[in-house]
Amino acid sequence: MGNAAMALRAAHVRTGTDRYSSIATELRALVTRVRELEDEARTAMHDLHATDPERFARCRDGHEPWPGEIQAGFIPRHTCKDECLYHDRNVLDAIMQCTCGRPPCQACDIGGKL
């Protein structure tokens, strides 16, 4: 968004056209709103970490969705370096092991894919 704001400022300076200035004003308001949403999300993450560090770790590691995320259709994140020899590389002999040499991660076990 910073590049867009600079481009709009430059266009306004070079052309003198007020429409660029008004778009830049809209962009600044949008950036402010996005920062507010980021702050809310960051606060929620800090609160979850402080109140339930085990759940925070499970969410961070992709074993369960973050609070507020849509539950339906959630598939755990691949935890085997985000790549499975069987599912991602089509190595048929690797059906029982992932890239890391451990048994399939939870996502592999249920047939999930990145």
Side-chain angles (χ1 to χ4, degrees):
M1 288 191 194
N3 288 342
M6 289 189 325
L8 288 168
R9 269 192 297 271
H12 176 67
V13 167
R14 290 185 176 144
T15 65
T17 305
D18 287 336
R19 67 181 177 171
Y20 296 114
S21 179
S22 64
I23 293 172
T25 300
E26 291 175 36
L27 181 60
R28 280 191 296 276
L30 180 60
V31 168
T32 298
R33 181 64 183 130
V34 168
R35 285 185 182 142
E36 290 169 357
L37 292 172
E38 287 175 337
D39 288 344
E40 289 174 17
R42 190 175 300 105
T43 298
M45 294 297 105
H46 285 286
D47 290 347
L48 178 61
H49 186 267
T51 60
D52 192 348
E54 290 85 16
R55 183 175 183 201
F56 179 88
R58 289 191 309 272
C59 293
R60 179 200 61 213
D61 294 340
H63 297 297
E64 68 180 75
W66 290 99
E69 281 189 326
I70 297 171
Q71 302 286 322
F74 172 76
I75 296 175
R77 182 181 72 79
H78 282 273
T79 55
C80 47
K81 297 183 182 177
D82 289 340
E83 195 170 84
C84 173
L85 287 173
Y86 177 70
H87 290 101
D88 300 321
R89 299 287 183 169
N90 296 318
V91 178
L92 298 179
D93 293 336
I95 192 167
M96 293 308 292
Q97 70 178 34
C98 293
T99 305
C100 60
R102 293 180 298 201
C105 65
Q106 186 180 2
C108 294
D109 280 343
I110 64 170
K113 205 165 159 64
L114 287 172

